Every structure is written in structure tokens, then in C-alpha cells.
């Protein structure tokens, strides 16, 4: 795997030669670009730990446009942009002119005209960030669109897994839960398989349809089959806001059959880490004691989220 040189942190410049103006999903990134992004994120993490502040985005304005609730993603983008010296402005889309009839495109164009160079967009509609790239000249960073993609989540998950397991090539990762409605699962499928990992998807039949033809992916309905000997497990939240009921009789029934517990995790490779993008529904997709156990990397995922977002903001602005 050829790695592109990472810029000197003392050069005062952002990273030259990044070919993508936007980050809409990870499927357009080459393996080298993914590795470059993860390496830069690790470098950002070390700089932050050392108390250094690379001012690579000084003079830049980053706009946060979150039209869906978010805690981790919004806050970590804000911290990441500020840590790079950018000015951060927040566009409360629900409260903005969109509710007065202005289209999303008009609102984003207005942001561009006021000098926002990068717009971090979260939207309930799959594809909204793609529309945004055609509506305004700002760089667009997809912070989660509907059920489609969540590229920075997949990148921070890959960094967390790489820290725990080393190279991901040849590893097997189980993703358990509401796969069909999960933008996290979809971006992770692209990224993990591109990096050479195999993925076992697991959940109720109605929640796992349509994935059997993906290369490197197998679909399971029994948790025991999915967890057997895997190197890592990722639990997903049941996307209640995106499903009109159906798939399982109740959340209680889901938890009984597919909920992760410390006992069930014992089926995985000894010490196999557990990930979850958050927010967690303890007692449904996993137990509180598993979330708090030594297997859980949920806290590391949140910490890595800042570093990954610093990396991608720098790369896009290069
Ligand atoms: N925070 C992640 C997302 O925005 C996962 C979730 O909400 O379940 O997709």
C-alpha cells in the first residue's frame, strides 16, 4: 500500500494535492487516500495531546448546517474546525428561512455568499449533500444524509479499529442491528471492504435485505453465527425515527434475540473490541455493562471523531 506523504506539521500549510473538493461518502476514496486520512488524523490526535494548534484553517469559515439532531458529530466538527483556527458559524436550518419557504439550495447559496468556505451538512434526506454541491460553490462535508452515508463516522471507526487491531486486511467485523436504515453501516461497508476486511451483517431479515450481493459481505440472522470468532463487533442503534414500525414485534423482542451482552460477546475472538456510533439504547442493542466494559471502544470513537474531522477539514481545504 503506497502512502502519500503527510505534510510537516510545522509547514504552516494545509495538505497539498487532495483531489476531492467535497466529502460526500467514502466510496470515492482510494485506499491510499483513506490511509492518508487516517494517518493525518493520528497526527492530529498527537498534536492535540501535545497541546499544539496547527492553524491550517486560519481565515477559513466553516458553517455547521445540521437539519437533524446530532451531538457527537456536530460538537466534534465544531471543535475540529476551531482547533485548526477556522471561524465556525452555526446555521440552525430548522429555524432559518427554510421554514419561511426558502429552499435548502437558496439557504446554502446564501451561506456561500457570506463567505462560508466549507459547509458541514446533516440532513434527513438521502442525497441532500449531493444536491448541495450543485447548488452552491462551498465545499460540502456530508455529516450524515438520511439512510445513505456518514463518511466521517466510517473513517473514525476505521481509525479506532486500526488502533485496536492493526491492519484491517484479513479481519472480520460483525455489524449488528438496523442495517437497512443505517448510513453508518453503509459507509462502513464501503470502507471496511475496501481496506480488505470481511463484514458479517446481522439482524432481523427485514432489516438486512439487499446486502447479499456486496463483495466481502455475508448476511446472518442468528447472532451466534455472526459473532463466531469475529475480530470486532459494531452494534447499531435501532433507527426508530426512520422506520414506520415493522421488522420485529417489539424492541424488547429485538433485544432478546439480537441485543449484545458480555456473554454473547464471548463468542467473538477473545478480547474482540465493541464499537457503537452512539447514541446507544442500553438494554436494546447492548447492555449497559457491555457498553462500560473493557471491550468497549465507544469513548475512543468519540475522541477519534475530533481528530478525523480535523483531518478531513484540512484535506478538503488543501
Ligand atoms: N449518530 C449516528 C448517525 O447519525 C448513528 C445513529 O444516530 O444511530 O447516523
Amino acid at each position: 500500500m503506497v502512502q502519500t506523504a503527510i505534510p510537516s506539521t510545522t509547514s504552516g500549510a494545509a495538505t497539498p494535492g487532495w483531489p476531492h473538493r467535497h466529502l460526500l461518502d467514502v466510496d470515492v476514496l482510494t485506499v491510499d487516500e483513506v490511509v492518508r486520512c487516517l494517518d493525518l488524523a493520528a497526527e492530529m490526535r498527537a498534536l492535540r495531546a501535545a497541546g499544539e494548534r496547527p492553524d491550517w484553517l486560519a481565515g477559513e469559515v466553516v458553517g455547521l448546517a445540521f437539519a437533524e439532531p446530532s451531538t457527537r458529530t456536530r460538537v466534534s466538527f465544531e471543535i475540529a474546525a476551531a482547533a485548526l483556527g477556522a471561524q465556525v458559524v452555526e446555521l440552525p436550518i430548522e429555524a432559518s428561512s427554510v421554514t419561511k419557504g426558502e429552499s435548502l439550495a437558496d439557504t446554502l447559496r446564501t451561506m456561500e455568499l457570506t463567505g462560508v468556505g466549507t459547509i458541514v451538512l446533516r440532513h434527513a434526506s438521502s442525497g441532500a449533500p449531493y444536491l448541495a454541491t450543485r447548488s452552491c460553490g462551498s465545499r460540502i462535508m456530508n455529516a450524515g444524509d438520511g439512510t445513505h452515508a456518514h463518511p466521517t463516522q466510517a473513517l473514525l471507526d476505521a481509525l479506532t479499529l486500526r488502533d485496536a487491531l492493526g491492519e484491517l486486511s484479513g479481519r472480520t467485523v460483525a455489524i449488528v442491528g438496523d442495517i437497512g436504515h443505517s448510513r453508518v453501516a453503509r459507509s462502513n461497508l464501503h470502507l471496511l471492504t475496501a481496506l480488505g476486511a470481511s463484514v458479517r451483517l446481522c439482524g432481523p431479515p427485514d432489516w438486512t435485505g439487499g446486502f447479499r450481493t456486496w463483495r466481502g459481505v455475508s448476511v446472518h440472522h442468528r447472532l451466534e453465527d455472526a459473532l463466531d470468532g469475529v475480530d470486532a463487533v459494531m452494534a447499531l442503534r435501532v433507527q426508530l425515527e426512520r422506520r414506520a414500525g415493522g421488522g420485529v414485534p417489539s424492541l424488547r423482542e429485538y433485544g432478546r434475540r439480537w441485543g449484545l451482552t458480555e456473554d454473547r460477546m464471548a463468542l467473538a475472538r477473545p478480547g474482540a473490541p465493541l464499537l457503537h456510533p452512539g447514541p446507544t439504547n442500553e438494554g436494546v442493542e447492548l447492555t449497559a455493562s457491555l457498553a462500560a466494559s473493557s471491550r468497549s471502544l465507544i469513548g475512543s470513537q468519540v475522541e477519534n471523531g475530533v481528530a478525523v474531522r480535523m483531518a478531513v477539514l484540512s484535506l478538503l481545504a488543501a
Side-chain angles (χ1 to χ4, degrees):
M1 199 178 280
V2 181
Q3 294 188 15
T4 315
I6 298 168
S8 157
T9 53
T10 54
S11 67
T15 51
W18 184 253
H20 306 284
R21 177 160 178 75
H22 311 288
L23 181 63
L24 305 179
D25 198 1
V26 288
D27 57 349
V28 297
L29 302 181
T30 65
V31 172
D32 287 350
E33 288 164 359
V34 171
V35 172
R36 179 176 171 190
C37 186
L38 300 185
D39 287 347
L40 184 57
E43 188 181 358
M44 293 294 187
R45 192 170 56 188
L47 286 175
R48 268 170 62 80
E52 287 184 43
R53 291 174 67 92
D55 261 4
W56 291 354
L57 295 190
E60 276 283 325
V61 183
V62 173
L64 304 181
F66 279 71
E68 256 199 340
S70 171
T71 306
R72 280 151 282 265
T73 306
R74 195 190 61 71
V75 170
S76 60
F77 262 116
E78 181 167 354
I79 290 173
L84 290 164
Q87 183 188 349
V88 184
V89 294
E90 194 147 352
L91 181 73
I93 287 193
E94 308 93 308
S96 78
S97 303
V98 172
T99 53
K100 298 180 190 166
E102 189 178 45
S103 71
L104 176 67
D106 289 341
T107 305
L108 296 178
R109 208 170 296 123
T110 303
M111 287 190 89
E112 179 196 356
L113 292 172
T114 57
V116 178
T118 303
I119 295 174
V120 179
L121 177 64
R122 168 165 290 193
H123 206 277
S125 299
S126 300
Y130 294 78
L131 172 73
T133 63
R134 292 200 290 273
S135 315
C136 76
S138 305
R139 299 175 206 98
I140 302 295
M141 180 82 72
N142 183 2
D145 62 323
T147 61
H148 171 246
H150 198 343
T152 54
Q153 179 71 46
L155 287 164
L156 74 90
D157 290 341
L159 180 61
T160 307
L161 284 168
R162 192 178 78 166
D163 290 343
L165 304 175
E167 284 291 313
L168 297 187
S169 179
R171 300 290 193 169
T172 304
V173 180
I175 304 181
V176 182
D178 189 356
I179 317 288
H181 290 88
S182 175
R183 55 196 177 203
V184 174
R186 232 169 239 99
S187 288
N188 263 293
L189 280 176
H190 284 300
L191 200 55
L192 290 170
T193 54
L195 293 174
S198 305
V199 180
R200 293 185 199 164
L201 298 177
C202 183
D206 279 4
W207 298 10
T208 49
F211 294 98
R212 285 191 190 279
T213 52
W214 282 58
R215 209 160 145 213
V217 175
S218 58
V219 177
H220 306 264
H221 302 309
R222 289 180 66 239
L223 198 53
E224 294 73 15
D225 298 335
L227 297 188
D228 186 28
V230 287
D231 295 297
V233 180
M234 185 182 296
L236 297 176
R237 185 175 65 87
V238 178
Q239 304 281 297
L240 289 174
E241 72 274 36
R242 299 188 210 287
R243 70 174 51 261
V248 289
S250 65
L251 287 183
R252 191 188 164 105
E253 176 66 9
Y254 174 80
R256 203 177 64 72
R257 290 194 54 188
W258 288 280
L260 293 168
T261 63
E262 281 167 291
D263 284 351
R264 287 172 167 176
M265 282 294 289
L267 295 166
R269 182 183 58 75
L274 170 86
L275 286 83
H276 190 303
T280 56
N281 286 318
E282 290 174 355
V284 180
E285 67 262 11
L286 80 178
T287 57
S289 61
L290 178 59
S293 72
S294 58
R295 282 184 190 273
S296 170
L297 298 182
I298 297 172
S300 304
Q301 288 174 273
V302 175
E303 286 164 13
N304 285 335
V306 176
V308 158
R309 287 162 183 135
M310 287 175 78
V312 292
L313 284 169
S314 306
L315 289 166
L316 255 56

